[in-house]
Amino acid sequence: MRRRLIGLIWTLTFGGLQWRVAGWLSGVPFTTLHSSFARWTRLGLWRRLGRRLALDWRLACGDEVLPSAVVADSRSLRSAPTAWVRGIDGGKLVKGVKLFVVCDKHGSLLDLDLQPANTDDRAGTLPMLPRLAALGFQGDLLGDSGFRGAPFAAAALEHDIHVAVSPGGTRDGRFLPNGIRWVVERLFAWLSRYRRLNIVYDRAADLFAGHIWIAMASIISRRLVAQTQAEQSV
């Protein structure tokens, strides 16, 4: 039954199916399906699984467990009126939620935060700094011009994190890769394949964050399986 519930939750994340419809089609009561997802989310299961797989992938690639540099960025997402909060991103004309992420050079998600769409990049990234420090990270945090400012740099330095800001990555409407900063854009592209993550319907921030971690666990687990199969075939 547990394997069946996890498979249904992954289907909801990937296909964007409604919870009640999934219950009708699968024969699993809606209350059982959603309460199991909510309980595992609030226990931190999806976050721990996604982060553990990200670190395992680093080891599989021959890297150290913890990166020496991470990339931070944000993406504005449209949200339904039933979502827990809504804001307006005036630059992108999006009414909804802003997703803040921190990833390593492989594009693997290490931490995230969710705020109203009108939240500044520095304010949205600030809560993640102590969590990165608790993970053991000490190094460079790479970002665009939205992370420029002495107060934010000083706050990061308190956790032995050095902010490195590079100019914007667009020119004439085209994206220009700068160092490893482009990997965060690829991460957003990967997440956009999961239909549940393109429009926010969840009534609580931790529930939507759970879907993001499930998507990340799905992406990295496929990498690990493919690498294992390739090694066995040699």
Side-chain angles (χ1 to χ4, degrees):
M1 184 62 177
R2 185 178 299 171
R3 292 173 64 90
R4 188 179 180 188
L5 288 173
I6 293 174
L8 284 170
I9 291 170
W10 179 87
T11 303
L12 286 160
T13 302
F14 183 75
L17 197 65
Q18 295 182 10
W19 286 98
R20 293 188 183 276
V21 174
W24 293 333
L25 295 177
S26 64
V28 178
F30 160 75
T31 52
T32 301
L33 181 59
H34 191 271
S35 62
S36 298
F37 169 72
R39 182 173 67 254
W40 292 336
T41 298
R42 285 161 185 152
L43 289 173
L45 172 65
W46 314 120
R47 175 180 51 80
R48 293 198 304 270
L49 177 61
R51 187 177 286 169
R52 174 62 183 271
L53 287 172
L55 300 180
D56 286 346
W57 178 245
R58 291 186 57 81
L59 291 176
C61 294
D63 297 325
E64 298 290 335
V65 177
L66 292 175
S68 59
V70 295
V71 186
D73 205 350
S74 64
R75 179 191 180 195
S76 296
L77 303 169
R78 289 185 298 153
S79 67
T82 55
W84 73 93
V85 71
R86 300 183 87 186
I88 298 178
D89 184 344
K92 299 178 181 177
L93 300 179
V94 174
K95 185 175 183 179
V97 175
K98 185 174 283 188
L99 167 64
F100 298 89
V101 301
V102 172
C103 68
D104 66 358
K105 69 177 184 179
H106 301 291
S108 301
L109 183 64
L110 297 178
D111 202 358
L112 65 88
D113 204 86
L114 293 161
Q115 301 289 341
N118 57 334
T119 305
D120 180 75
D121 284 355
R122 290 163 295 191
T125 308
L126 200 59
M128 292 189 285
L129 297 179
R131 297 200 293 265
L132 289 173
L135 187 63
F137 171 73
Q138 294 179 352
D140 296 329
L141 187 145
L142 312 179
D144 56 19
S145 57
F147 294 91
R148 182 174 296 152
F152 179 75
L157 199 57
E158 292 179 1
H159 302 285
D160 292 327
I161 298 175
H162 303 270
V163 178
V165 176
S166 56
T170 58
R171 180 184 300 165
D172 300 329
R174 294 179 298 171
F175 176 72
L176 297 178
N178 193 336
I180 64 170
R181 261 189 50 205
W182 64 275
V183 297
V184 71
E185 303 296 340
R186 186 179 62 179
L187 170 61
F188 287 138
W190 287 340
L191 294 178
S192 66
R193 298 175 185 173
Y194 292 77
R195 295 186 62 186
R196 186 85 185 184
L197 307 182
N198 292 322
I199 300 178
V200 182
Y201 293 100
D202 296 274
R203 297 176 183 269
D206 58 345
L207 298 180
F208 184 71
H211 286 294
I212 298 174
W213 284 114
I214 290 170
M216 201 67 239
S218 174
I219 292 168
I220 301 178
S221 61
R222 289 201 302 270
R223 295 184 199 167
L224 291 169
V225 169
Q227 185 184 63
T228 302
Q229 292 176 346
E231 292 174 353
Q232 291 175 352
S233 62
V234 173

